[in-house]
Amino acid sequence: MIYTVTFSPAIDYIIHMDALTQGEINRSKRETCHFGGKGINVSVMLERLGVRNTAMGFISGFTGRALEESLWKAGIDTDFVYLEEGITRINIKIKTDQETEINTQGASISHEKLKELFLKLDALKEGDILIVSGSAPSTIPEGSYETMLDRLEGKGIRLVIDTTGPLLKKLLKYRPFLVKPNKKELEELEGSKIRSDQALEDRAGALQKQGARNVLVSLGAEGAYLLSEDTRAYRMQSHSVSVVNTVGAGDSMVAGFLAGYLKTGDYPFALRLGLAAGSATACSEGLASLEKIKHFMNPFDRLDLGR
């Protein structure tokens, strides 16, 4: 079974406007609402690609109940910890000729509730996959991710880690099956720009030497790069798309790569499906549909996708 963990899920409330004027009454042209958070996005995309999974993490209040119900309707199993106070956060994204985002804090997570999640994760078995996405919220003690993974070490669980900065470096010691930084995040790890293919390979290789088995780097308009655990490197160019939305594109790439690998065991196919899923979401208002993902796949890939 695959499990995703989202410490701080969110409802993204997207407001489309001609212009935003501070200090005045502004009126929208239209609004859309998406349920998300990095792990939630991965769960949704895995389900669309025909991979059963369970979404875990913390939810609270009426917004948390709405998020969970939306996952049930999508056919996704859930095993959340319910917080007694606050609400699952609502992030506001205002789209004019540019995009303005207001990301909220979310509900506080007590030590008791954190332990409740850890106890749920203790039930994972050999062969299960755990996907840990996003940064550690300020409402949990420092080192909570490491405490969580320490409890699972030695159980034969494959880890997928999609975090950034110092936290990513700290978690490499758990030998994750996959990490997925984007180019900017990879540059920030070393504090310098990546200006050549060799530099890209060196940076990915450094993560592999520190523990990552497979390093998948999303390169935006330049495509994607994979350094696999058999030390082979793969580079694929991006699909030509008109970018509508970048939120969830990286999560879609993680889900596509993982679904492709689980179905075939083939790294090039996994990379193609990951790139197709990421590109499809980038040109969609929300997470991409299965039909749009298939549009970006090679017509010679005969594998059935979806359920």
Side-chain angles (χ1 to χ4, degrees), residues 64-93:
R65 291 192 296 273
L67 186 148
E68 185 170 44
E69 288 172 6
S70 77
L71 295 178
W72 290 341
K73 289 177 181 177
I76 299 168
D77 296 328
T78 64
D79 191 13
F80 289 114
V81 174
Y82 300 91
L83 304 177
E84 296 168 355
E85 297 181 358
I87 63 171
T88 292
R89 63 198 177 112
I90 302 174
N91 293 332
I92 300 171
K93 303 181 185 297

Side-chain angles (χ1 to χ4, degrees), residues 205-217:
L207 294 184
Q208 201 171 61
K209 288 176 182 177
Q210 293 174 66
R213 290 169 56 188
N214 296 286
V215 181
L216 174 62
V217 185

Side-chain angles (χ1 to χ4, degrees), residues 5-298:
V5 172
T6 309
F7 275 76
S8 190
I11 296 175
D12 289 338
Y13 187 55
I14 303 169
I15 305 171
H16 297 261
M17 308 173 66
D18 289 325
L20 175 64
T21 305
Q22 292 188 19
E24 300 289 341
I25 295 176
N26 295 269
R27 299 193 183 279
S28 67
K29 293 193 298 184
R30 63 188 179 93
E31 308 87 33
T32 54
C33 188
H34 301 290
F35 297 94
K38 292 181 68 63
I40 300 296
N41 293 337
V42 174
S43 276
V44 171
M45 290 304 296
L46 283 173
E47 173 62 28
R48 290 181 184 176
L49 292 166
V51 180
R52 185 183 174 193
N53 70 95
T54 298
M56 303 178 71
F58 301 93
I59 58 173
S60 56
F62 73 99
T63 50
R65 291 192 296 273
L67 186 148
E68 185 170 44
E69 288 172 6
S70 77
L71 295 178
W72 290 341
K73 289 177 181 177
I76 299 168
D77 296 328
T78 64
D79 191 13
F80 289 114
V81 174
Y82 300 91
L83 304 177
E84 296 168 355
E85 297 181 358
I87 63 171
T88 292
R89 63 198 177 112
I90 302 174
N91 293 332
I92 300 171
K93 303 181 185 297
I94 302 171
K95 295 196 174 187
T96 56
D97 58 338
Q98 57 186 354
E99 185 169 314
T100 301
E101 297 188 16
I102 303 173
N103 289 342
T104 55
Q105 288 289 328
S108 179
I109 301 169
S110 68
H111 175 76
E112 291 74 19
K113 291 297 182 179
L114 191 61
K115 185 176 180 181
E116 189 176 334
L117 174 66
F118 292 168
L119 289 172
K120 287 178 180 289
L121 291 171
D122 285 346
L124 270 62
K125 304 181 295 296
E126 183 176 359
D128 286 341
I129 297 173
L130 177 64
I131 302 172
V132 180
S133 303
S135 58
S138 60
T139 55
I140 64 174
E142 185 176 351
S144 293
Y145 276 36
E146 292 169 276
T147 301
M148 175 176 69
L149 298 184
D150 280 340
R151 297 171 68 111
L152 299 176
E153 199 163 17
K155 295 183 67 173
I157 296 164
R158 284 185 286 181
L159 298 174
V160 176
I161 294 176
D162 186 11
T163 62
T164 61
L167 179 59
L168 172 58
K169 282 193 170 184
K170 288 179 181 179
L171 301 185
L172 291 173
K173 64 185 177 182
Y174 297 101
R175 300 228 4 110
F177 171 75
L178 177 70
V179 297
K180 193 217 67 66
N182 60 36
K183 183 179 179 180
K184 181 180 179 181
E185 291 164 349
L186 201 56
E187 289 174 336
E188 289 173 348
L189 282 174
E190 298 297 331
S192 60
K193 293 288 186 180
I194 295 173
R195 303 186 187 279
S196 66
D197 290 345
Q198 185 61 54
L200 175 62
E201 185 175 337
D202 290 344
R203 300 287 178 88
L207 294 184
Q208 201 171 61
K209 288 176 182 177
Q210 293 174 66
R213 290 169 56 188
N214 296 286
V215 181
L216 174 62
V217 185
S218 54
L219 302 171
E222 299 175 36
Y225 170 87
L226 172 69
L227 182 61
S228 66
E229 61 183 327
D230 57 9
T231 69
R232 293 184 181 182
Y234 305 90
R235 177 75 180 266
M236 291 187 183
Q237 294 302 311
S238 179
H239 302 280
S240 179
V241 300
S242 178
V243 176
V244 174
N245 161 54
T246 58
V247 176
D251 307 321
S252 298
M253 181 177 284
V254 170
F257 179 89
L258 192 56
Y261 182 79
L262 291 175
K263 288 174 183 285
T264 67
D266 180 70
Y267 284 121
F269 178 83
L271 182 57
R272 286 199 300 278
L273 184 53
L275 189 56
S279 298
T281 287
C283 62
S284 303
E285 284 207 350
L287 297 176
S289 66
L290 178 60
E291 290 69 27
K292 187 164 284 190
I293 295 171
K294 287 181 176 180
H295 172 76
F296 289 107
M297 286 299 290
N298 188 324

